[in-house]
Amino acid sequence: MLTIFICLFTYVEPGDTNIYAGMNSYIAQFSRYWETVYETSPSGFRTSQGCVDFIGWYMLYNAKTEADFNKTFSMRYRFHMLRHYDDTITQHRFEPTMRVVPNIYAHVVMVPFYHKTHNETGIGLSWRRGCTDWLGVYALVQRYDHNFSLMFINEGPDRTPYEKLPVKFEVDGRGETDWLRARFHGEFGTRSHQYLDWPDSAQYIWDRYKDSTGLWGRIEVQPVKGLWTGGRFMWERDRWLTTWRQWQDSVTYDSLYEYWVEPFVSYNPTERLMFEIAYRFWDVSRRMDTVDYYSDFDVFSSLICWQPVDWFVFEGGYQRSVRTRYNNDTTIREPWKGEPGQPQSRLIFDFEFRLKSGMMFSIKEGLEMDNFPRRLFRSPHNHTYVLLYMPLAVLKPETEKESIKVR
């Protein structure tokens, strides 16, 4: 009976029912070649989509472009949308840009949201050399419209003004040489203070403090010709704490710490053949006033890539993952798979098309390898992912005039 009671209140992170999450994270991300193409293109669109369970899909959309008003002023636009369990991000970012001196640019940043309380605005300064190398720093005030939106809200549970608004500092950069490629993005948030003071109810008088920081990036080094090594990484921290004024000792808190590191080694014996091995160390820790949750993921991935013709690439490989999860040092059993730490494995195949227009299209399929060969033939399909990249073109003034004449 005690075991049943504990299981009813066992905490799990959203998506924990997906035992293939670690392996999916590898095939859902864009390859190093795709990353380079998108990052060094002035305008482009890309998406990665795939199955996460019987109910939902992983969906990622990115787009960027920049149009010149004249030699001094331009407008940059960035779009980011993510749908992945509890992650429902939709962000439009507009940056009116002015060239101060050659290679140095000043930016005004506007990030509007459907709910005005989430709006962000700020300024930035960047150095750019073409589309391959840049370094930018930004300072953005977040939720600056929150207090304004409460002007006609009476005192009550919906009136939660900020005494101290959150401020986010961003660093974004990329650089490359013949033997090195590096990409980095960091967001460092200050601690905000939000409160609810409702004199008619002692229950709803609290102060809430929040802060969020995250960074991600990629490093690639070529020590000898044909051999690349390096890794990708991500680190994120989200924290909030609420204190109840009438009970000084009453505190609720929730802190999420997540990071992963994915070192890799790839070797190209010829221009049309590549071998790659990657290993991801992925940890998630959630500390709350009621429970401490911890997840440890280890994912091994290997690939052989062959490009028989310019417009087609075939990839085949093997993946194996192990994860262990805990609630207050108590191990959580795996859903449908039995004991914690039981390895999961599968084959992966990728059919990638690179067209002359610049568009790229990729279909990735996983095949079940647990209890081979019985399970493979009984239920071969594992998870499917589809990736698409399309270059975007912004009309130049001369081209625009010509198109008008044709019409």
Side-chain angles (χ1 to χ4, degrees):
M1 188 67 184
L2 178 61
T3 303
I4 296 175
F5 179 80
I6 293 174
C7 291
L8 288 175
F9 292 93
T10 297
Y11 173 82
V12 294
E13 276 286 286
D16 268 5
T17 53
N18 179 11
I19 59 175
Y20 303 107
M23 292 188 286
N24 287 347
S25 65
Y26 177 79
I27 64 173
Q29 69 188 5
F30 302 101
S31 69
R32 293 182 294 114
Y33 176 78
W34 280 46
E35 293 277 21
T36 300
V37 171
Y38 181 78
E39 291 168 357
T40 59
S41 300
S43 300
F45 165 83
R46 66 181 182 180
T47 180
S48 174
Q49 305 186 30
C51 175
V52 293
D53 53 32
F54 290 107
I55 299 175
W57 283 75
Y58 170 86
M59 305 177 73
L60 173 65
Y61 296 90
N62 295 131
K64 67 173 186 175
T65 189
E66 183 170 2
D68 296 333
F69 294 118
N70 50 45
K71 294 182 178 180
T72 303
F73 295 95
S74 64
M75 172 65 77
R76 301 175 70 188
Y77 171 74
R78 299 290 184 270
F79 175 73
H80 173 70
M81 190 180 87
L82 175 63
R83 297 290 184 270
H84 189 214
Y85 294 109
D86 279 0
D87 293 325
T88 55
I89 304 169
T90 302
Q91 186 182 87
H92 301 268
R93 178 169 174 143
F94 300 88
E95 293 186 22
T97 300
M98 180 181 70
R99 188 179 68 168
V100 182
V101 295
N103 296 337
I104 302 295
Y105 299 84
H107 309 269
V108 175
V109 182
M110 296 175 290
V111 186
F113 290 86
Y114 172 73
H115 292 287
K116 294 181 181 179
T117 59
H118 294 87
N119 287 351
E120 302 176 3
T121 189
I123 57 175
L125 190 68
S126 69
W127 168 84
R128 284 189 284 169
R129 182 172 59 191
C131 296
T132 59
D133 305 272
W134 69 80
L135 178 63
V137 292
Y138 303 85
L140 283 76
V141 179
Q142 300 176 291
R143 296 181 175 268
Y144 67 91
D145 266 335
H146 182 86
N147 290 359
F148 176 78
S149 68
L150 302 177
M151 287 182 59
F152 300 103
I153 301 296
N154 296 326
E155 289 183 343
D158 295 327
R159 189 170 179 83
T160 56
Y162 277 95
E163 185 174 85
K164 184 179 180 181
L165 290 170
V167 178
K168 179 173 64 175
F169 299 94
E170 294 183 0
V171 179
D172 188 79
R174 186 188 189 277
E176 69 173 51
T177 65
D178 293 337
W179 58 272
L180 171 68
R181 301 190 194 108
R183 179 78 173 93
F184 177 82
H185 181 87
E187 298 182 2
F188 310 93
T190 61
R191 196 185 196 196
S192 65
H193 176 202
Q194 188 179 11
Y195 65 93
L196 173 61
D197 192 349
W198 185 12
D200 294 337
S201 175
Q203 180 181 0
Y204 295 105
I205 301 178
W206 49 254
D207 293 88
R208 181 167 296 162
Y209 303 90
K210 292 183 180 181
D211 68 89
S212 178
T213 299
L215 54 90
W216 55 265
R218 185 180 75 257
I219 299 175
E220 306 171 39
V221 181
Q222 182 179 228
V224 297
K225 185 177 180 180
L227 178 67
W228 285 90
T229 185
R232 305 176 190 238
F233 59 87
M234 187 280 290
W235 181 83
E236 181 181 356
R237 183 187 68 189
D238 288 301
R239 302 182 296 185
W240 67 260
L241 180 147
T242 302
T243 59
W244 304 88
R245 296 184 189 176
Q246 60 274 44
W247 302 292
Q248 296 299 321
D249 295 332
S250 179
V251 175
T252 60
Y253 61 89
D254 187 356
S255 300
L256 174 66
Y257 300 83
E258 180 178 2
Y259 79 90
W260 56 261
V261 179
E262 188 179 84
F264 76 90
V265 176
S266 72
Y267 176 62
N268 295 73
T270 69
E271 292 184 355
R272 296 188 178 274
L273 186 63
M274 183 190 76
F275 301 92
E276 181 175 282
I277 295 176
Y279 199 100
R280 175 173 292 198
F281 305 88
W282 184 9
D283 288 356
V284 179
S285 174
R286 191 147 200 172
R287 303 170 188 173
M288 296 173 279
D289 53 301
T290 53
V291 66
D292 282 355
Y293 166 92
Y294 176 72
S295 172
D296 178 21
F297 234 132
D298 292 278
V299 186
F300 169 80
S301 301
S302 61
L303 279 179
I304 300 176
C305 306
W306 177 46
Q307 187 175 6
V309 291
D310 292 340
W311 54 270
F312 177 71
V313 178
F314 171 78
E315 294 183 349
Y318 172 78
Q319 290 187 292
R320 183 180 178 88
S321 70
V322 177
R323 81 171 176 185
T324 309
R325 299 170 298 150
Y326 306 90
N327 272 336
N328 295 334
D329 298 324
T330 300
T331 307
I332 306 173
R333 289 176 61 86
E334 290 291 356
W336 311 300
K337 287 286 185 174
E339 293 300 323
Q342 182 175 342
Q344 314 298 326
S345 59
R346 71 182 179 191
L347 296 177
I348 53 174
F349 296 96
D350 177 18
F351 303 91
E352 181 179 320
F353 302 88
R354 301 177 182 177
L355 307 183
K356 290 184 178 180
S357 62
M359 185 180 81
M360 297 187 295
F361 181 70
S362 176
I363 303 176
K364 302 181 181 182
E365 174 67 29
L367 297 181
E368 181 68 59
M369 283 296 289
D370 294 324
N371 299 322
F372 178 83
R374 178 171 56 87
R375 184 165 236 169
L376 174 63
F377 291 105
R378 188 180 68 182
S379 179
H381 167 68
N382 189 264
H383 284 177
T384 303
Y385 275 73
V386 177
L387 289 76
L388 172 69
Y389 167 79
M390 295 180 64
L392 302 178
V394 177
L395 292 178
K396 298 297 182 181
E398 296 79 6
T399 309
E400 189 175 16
K401 291 178 183 178
E402 292 176 0
S403 64
I404 294 174
K405 289 180 181 179
V406 172
R407 292 178 184 174

